[in-house]
Every structure is written in C-alpha cells, then in structure tokens.
Amino acid sequence: MIRRNWNAALAAMLLSLPLVPASASGDLFYFEAGQGDVVFTLMLVGREDPGAVNVSWKGLSIPQPRDVQRRYYIEFDRARRQAYVRPLRHDGLPWFEMDVSGKRGNVLIGGRRLEGRADWTVQ
C-alpha cells in the first residue's frame, strides 16, 4: 500500500514539472572565413562531438555540390578548442582544409587561404 502511494506521488510530481523546450539547432561548432566576396562556412551539427559536417561557400568559381554525402577526417578537441577538418579523400569534389585553434582559424579552398573565426558555443 505504501509503495503504491509512493509511486502515485512520484508520478504526480513528475507530471507537474514544467516542460523545458529543447534546443532546436543542435549546433556544436561554427566557423566562418571570408576575404572580399568569398565566404566559407563549416558547421558541426548533432548531439555529440564532433557531429556531422555541413559545409558551404560562395564567391568561388568552384561549384558547390548539392545533396552529396561526403566523409571527413576530423580532429576535434573542445577542451583545447582545436579543430581540423578535411574531406577523407580526394573524390573529385572541391577540396578544403580547415584548421582552428581557439577563436581563430583558416581554411584552404580553391588555392586560397581564408582567415576566419570560430564559435565553440553549443546551442
């Protein structure tokens, strides 16, 4: 009898707690670099480090592939705030290398080196 009352009380307490909305973005890491009209962005998204890679750019003569699943080599250390990302292999798609330490980093893409800033804030 006591156990049944305890379970009922616990259930009532849990049901009365306010709902906390979950974060919708899932962004783990964001990097943006630019020079003139060229802008490169890389995001790591998901629920755990390092997450899935999302890459985009504009202003380069290199076409941006759509809906292509690509594998990446990733070194990611949130505690030291260091990240390195590049495609796992040369597969005919645009090649890049991103290297970040702290809040600053650079990316090499299309024969250009762009300096940028990183945001390590988990959202």
Side-chain angles (χ1 to χ4, degrees):
M1 178 79 166
I2 293 174
R3 184 178 180 110
R4 188 176 302 159
N5 288 342
W6 169 252
N7 287 341
L10 180 61
M13 182 182 73
L14 290 175
L15 290 174
S16 69
L17 291 175
L19 294 176
V20 178
S23 174
S25 75
D27 293 352
L28 297 172
F29 173 83
Y30 179 81
F31 174 77
E32 182 174 72
Q35 182 181 52
D37 61 343
V38 177
V39 177
F40 174 92
T41 60
L42 183 141
M43 291 186 297
L44 298 177
V45 295
R47 294 184 177 259
E48 59 187 53
D49 291 342
V53 178
N54 284 341
V55 177
S56 65
W57 60 84
K58 63 181 180 179
L60 290 171
S61 61
I62 303 168
Q64 188 166 329
R66 300 280 182 216
D67 300 324
V68 174
Q69 295 296 321
R70 196 171 196 189
R71 296 181 62 203
Y72 295 90
Y73 174 81
I74 302 170
E75 293 178 16
F76 189 79
D77 188 336
R78 183 174 299 282
R80 292 185 178 153
R81 296 199 183 270
Q82 295 177 336
Y84 175 81
V85 178
R86 67 169 170 76
L88 195 55
R89 61 179 195 246
H90 290 278
D91 52 9
L93 296 174
W95 179 261
F96 71 88
E97 288 184 86
M98 183 214 65
D99 192 10
V100 172
S101 183
K103 292 186 177 186
R104 297 195 175 275
N106 59 64
V107 65
L108 177 63
I109 185 168
R112 297 177 79 169
R113 182 169 303 279
L114 310 173
E115 293 183 13
R117 297 188 53 81
D119 181 357
W120 294 87
T121 306
V122 177
Q123 302 207 5

